[in-house]
Structure formats: C-alpha cells, structure tokens
Amino acid sequence: MRIAVLASGTGSNFEAIMIAKREGVVTDDICLLFSDQKQALVLEKAKKYGVPSVSFSLHDFSSKELYEKKLRDLLVSKKIDFVVLAGYMKILGSVMLETYANRIINIHPSLLPSFPGRHGIKDAFTYGVKVTGVTIHYVDDGVDTGPIIAQKAVEIKTYDTLETLETKIHSAEHVLYPQVIAKLTKNENKKENF
Ligand code: GAR
C-alpha cells in the first residue's frame, strides 16, 4: 500500500508511524507527508525520516473545494492508496471523501463519540470523566465521526494533571495507530474489529 499522512501540527503520531516502519511493524510505503500548515513541525520530521513532503494552505485558494481538489490531485498523482490523518485539523469534504471512500482513517484523543473536536483531551479532563482514551475511525463528513476501528482506554487518576493526561494519551496513540495501520493495510483495508 502507498500511504499518505496528512498532519497539521507537531507530528508525534507521524513519527510513531515512521518508527514502526523502521521496526518492520508497518510494512507499507509512507510515500508522502502533506501539511496544510507551512510552519508545522511535522514537516521537519518528514525531512528527518526522508519522506517527501508538500505543504499548501487553504488560504492559498479561493475556495475549500479548489484546495481539496489540489490535494486530491496530488495524492492521485503519487498513486496513494490509503490516507492517514494524524492531527490533520481540517474537515474533509466530498472531493477527498468520494475519491478515497473507506480509505481514510483518523486518530482522535478521546473515546468517541465523547469529546469530539479540537480539544478532546482537555474537554475530557475538564468534564471530570475517570476514563478517556484514543479512538481510530474511518472518516466521513462529520467532525470526528465515522465507523470506529479501534479504541484504547486511558484512566484519569486523581493525581493526573492536564499535562500528565496528555502524555498518557499520546503514548497510547503512538502504540495504537501503527498497530491499526499495519493490521488494516495487511488485510487490504477490510473493515474489521480490533
Ligand atoms: C493527536 O493527539 C491527535 O489525536 C489529535 O491531534 C494530535 C496531533 O498530535 N487529533 C485531533 O484532535 C483530531 N480531532 P501530533 O501532531 O503530535 O501527532
């Protein structure tokens, strides 16, 4: 499988996928890193791991549709089979969803359907739940919706702070995402339970 990773930020999940690739857990080709944020740290990580990267911003286009068509055309031109969102903070529209139907997955730092959106960790912490976690799901046109592929629970202990919780969630993400990618792509992207 030829995989593209889409990311907007730090890229710790991208790095976890690349480490898993180096260790032979992920066997697919990570062919492209795309970021919609030209200053994102993930672009440095792509360089570090020798993954070709491209960045352009929604603001460079007169409409979201044109932005997304450019992105879709880029992925198609690189013969990408499967798209992994790793902290990509934009909602995908019909252009991408139609071209890559059932071939786009996302990771979210809560146990969906609880706490969707940009601040999944903080929202769960502030609410006071005792268990939160990580969800990996197929992407549809909603915000952090779509069929769930895998989840991992993370307990919030009384001594946890937002910072310690963030660390625990990210550690869980870095284990789960590479495992799911490895399993999904080996099974030719069949929807299955983990
Ligand atoms: C991750 O925690 C991911 O779950 C979250 O963004 C972070 C990206 O971190 N995604 C969402 O909140 C999607 N709604 P990273 O850039 O270090 O991989």
Side-chain angles (χ1 to χ4, degrees), residues 29-97:
D29 292 328
I30 312 298
C31 301
L32 180 72
L33 181 281
F34 170 77
S35 182
D36 61 315
Q37 302 294 323
K38 292 173 190 168
Q39 307 299 327
L41 272 175
V42 69
L43 290 163
E44 295 303 313
K45 296 209 165 99
K47 212 178 281 175
K48 175 175 164 190
Y49 288 93
V51 175
S53 66
V54 175
S55 180
F56 50 80
S57 155
L58 177 58
H59 305 300
D60 302 335
F61 297 83
S62 56
S63 73
K64 187 166 178 202
E65 195 184 351
L66 286 175
Y67 160 81
E68 207 164 274
K69 276 188 174 154
K70 170 106 181 191
L71 175 57
R72 189 267 318 272
D73 291 349
L74 170 70
L75 302 188
V76 170
S77 75
K78 303 277 181 199
K79 300 190 174 8
I80 298 300
D81 307 302
F82 197 80
V83 180
V84 168
L85 307 188
Y88 180 70
M89 294 304 195
K90 291 223 162 13
I91 307 300
L92 288 180
S94 58
V95 173
M96 279 290 293
L97 292 174

Side-chain angles (χ1 to χ4, degrees), residues 70-172:
K70 170 106 181 191
L71 175 57
R72 189 267 318 272
D73 291 349
L74 170 70
L75 302 188
V76 170
S77 75
K78 303 277 181 199
K79 300 190 174 8
I80 298 300
D81 307 302
F82 197 80
V83 180
V84 168
L85 307 188
Y88 180 70
M89 294 304 195
K90 291 223 162 13
I91 307 300
L92 288 180
S94 58
V95 173
M96 279 290 293
L97 292 174
E98 279 164 21
T99 305
Y100 284 100
N102 298 319
R103 291 186 291 152
I104 308 175
I105 61 172
N106 180 44
I107 188 160
H108 182 75
S110 75
L111 292 178
L112 292 171
S114 295
F115 310 114
R118 285 181 166 265
H119 307 291
I121 305 175
K122 187 168 175 223
D123 292 346
F125 185 77
T126 307
Y127 195 93
V129 293
K130 300 298 173 207
V131 181
T132 182
V134 173
T135 302
I136 295 164
H137 63 96
Y138 286 100
V139 172
D140 65 11
D141 57 2
V143 178
D144 301 317
T145 54
I148 290 174
I149 302 164
Q151 291 187 304
K152 190 168 176 55
V154 172
E155 274 190 69
I156 304 180
K157 303 283 193 188
T158 47
Y159 52 76
D160 272 318
T161 62
L162 179 58
E163 289 69 32
T164 63
L165 180 61
E166 281 169 348
T167 302
K168 291 199 303 196
I169 292 279
H170 293 311
S171 302

